[in-house]
Amino acid sequence: MPLTIADYAASPKMLVAGVAKTMLEDSPFLDRLPIEDVGTLSIKVLRQTPNPNIPAWRRMGQAHGSIASVKPDEVEEQAYSIGNEITVDKALYRDKSVRLYDPMTEYTQQVARNIARTITNTAINGTPANPDAPVGLRWRVMNDLPATQNITADPAGGVAGLDISPDTTNPDAAQQYFAHLDAMLLAVSGSLSGAGKNMFFLTNDTLIARHTHLCRKSGMLKTTTDSLNRVFPEWAGVPFIDMGRMPDDVTRVIGNTETLNGTATTGGSATGLYLVKFGKEYFTGWQEYSMEISEPELDADKVTYRSVIDWVMGFALTHPRSVARSFGLIVV
């Protein structure tokens, strides 16, 4: 069975559990991402390619023709180490006065929060330009998957986009938006329902607010609640997950400045939307070894206590229809 951040949060190791709880609370994406325990720095996945041989009908008395199997594409995925040192002055670490929070605990939570946000950001925006980190979904869908998995929101099929912002003048915007969500479902699940299929829409808070408004106005709003009592809107049984902010606490992981044709994340007026199916046969996280957090120890300088968070993990995408990416949605 794959691990989840919730499993780490239930660890008997208090430091691990504390860091995991912070990650779980800060990143709904990490809360749902399955993490396969592999034990190696790299793994190979087989990505099935279409078979060009087409079965034929036969006449009575004749033999069937044969179809040679097509070797799947073998793709190697790499794990990378993410973590940070937590350092606290010895005087603060040993201070026994009454305080609202313990400095080491507070700094550890800050680092854990930023690690969660960095992983979440990389899951979307990572590119081969950074050889020390995994490649994210945006690059993978645009470069590795069939063109069918990149879907324009333009109702006419072009790159004019679809304006669902509060000041849109398009009277059919809501219905066109709902039809666009259905097109994404068909691209990934092959049906108009994702219920029970471990699928999620990944986006930002602005689109989630617009989706909630349009569904409520149309009498179609449905929501689901997680173990932390967080409420998420759904479409056809698929929850919408806000990918949140980067460590600066300002910049959205998925912004509202993408170009209408989806080729750049800045210089435009649109936002991104991803539909992802989780699972080891689809898209998953994986690790070489479990997340490790060392006990605070007095450093060689004799005035600093130091602890280290270290996690060697990565992402793997197997099925070519594991993900669909939308571009051209205007929400502001």
Side-chain angles (χ1 to χ4, degrees):
M1 290 290 292
L3 297 169
T4 65
I5 286 293
D7 293 318
Y8 275 116
S11 170
K13 298 178 180 178
M14 303 234 2
L15 277 174
V16 173
V19 166
K21 286 176 183 176
T22 300
M23 291 182 172
L24 185 153
E25 292 169 359
D26 198 76
S27 176
F29 167 76
L30 270 182
D31 185 18
R32 288 159 173 79
L33 181 71
I35 303 163
E36 297 288 336
D37 193 22
V38 176
T40 62
L41 269 173
S42 63
I43 58 173
K44 291 183 179 180
V45 298
L46 299 179
R47 194 169 297 159
Q48 187 64 53
T49 55
N51 193 320
N53 296 302
I54 301 174
W57 297 95
R58 71 177 181 89
R59 291 181 181 179
M60 294 297 108
Q62 292 185 349
H64 281 296
S66 64
I67 297 178
S69 62
V70 176
K71 182 181 178 181
D73 289 336
E74 192 173 69
V75 181
E76 184 169 89
E77 301 279 10
Q78 186 76 29
Y80 301 84
S81 178
I82 187 168
N84 216 87
E85 292 185 345
I86 303 105
T87 57
V88 177
D89 189 278
K90 180 169 67 174
L92 283 173
Y93 185 78
R94 294 183 177 180
D95 182 11
K96 303 300 182 184
S97 61
V98 178
R99 291 171 296 198
L100 290 176
Y101 59 87
D102 172 74
M104 197 68 178
T105 299
E106 175 65 15
Y107 296 158
T108 302
Q109 288 177 340
Q110 289 178 7
V111 171
R113 190 175 298 113
N114 285 342
I115 290 175
R117 293 184 179 193
T118 300
I119 293 173
T120 302
N121 177 49
T122 303
I124 295 294
N125 297 314
T127 73
N130 182 358
D132 299 323
V135 174
L137 289 173
R138 175 181 168 80
W139 194 93
R140 289 170 183 263
V141 180
M142 291 179 66
N143 296 277
D144 284 349
L145 300 190
T148 54
Q149 305 311 108
N150 287 274
I151 305 173
T152 178
D154 184 357
V159 293
L162 173 60
D163 187 354
I164 59 170
S165 66
D167 56 355
T168 182
T169 58
N170 179 3
D172 298 321
Q175 295 307 313
Q176 290 170 347
Y177 166 68
F178 297 148
H180 179 58
L181 297 182
D182 285 345
M184 296 186 72
L185 281 169
L186 290 170
V188 174
S189 72
S191 73
L192 294 179
S193 174
K197 296 182 179 179
N198 212 20
M199 294 167 59
F200 301 91
F201 284 108
L202 309 180
T203 185
N204 66 24
D205 54 349
T206 313
L207 179 53
I208 288 176
R210 290 303 301 148
H211 174 86
T212 302
H213 171 75
L214 292 175
C215 287
R216 184 179 289 121
K217 189 175 180 181
S218 303
M220 302 171 67
L221 180 63
K222 292 185 178 180
T223 62
T224 185
T225 304
D226 71 0
S227 60
L228 299 178
N229 290 320
R230 294 177 294 196
V231 178
F232 301 89
E234 292 184 340
W235 180 260
V238 180
F240 277 70
I241 303 298
D242 177 15
M243 296 300 280
R245 312 273 171 153
M246 297 186 191
D248 63 11
D249 208 26
V250 175
T251 310
R252 290 178 173 89
V253 169
I254 299 176
N256 296 320
T257 57
E258 291 190 6
T259 53
L260 290 176
N261 61 9
T263 58
T265 57
T266 58
S269 58
T271 193
L273 174 65
Y274 298 79
L275 177 59
V276 184
K277 186 169 185 177
F278 286 158
K280 63 183 179 181
E281 304 92 344
Y282 300 98
F283 178 76
T284 188
W286 62 283
Q287 63 182 21
E288 181 192 9
Y289 53 78
S290 298
M291 184 193 312
E292 295 181 352
I293 299 96
S294 63
E295 293 287 343
E297 294 181 350
L298 189 62
D299 196 62
D301 63 11
K302 301 302 181 183
V303 295
T304 305
Y305 274 87
R306 189 181 306 276
S307 178
V308 177
I309 300 175
D310 177 51
W311 195 14
V312 179
M313 59 89 67
F315 305 115
L317 193 157
T318 301
H319 199 285
R321 293 182 66 181
S322 302
V323 189
R325 167 182 168 261
S326 158
F327 58 90
L329 276 172
I330 304 169
V331 293
V332 292

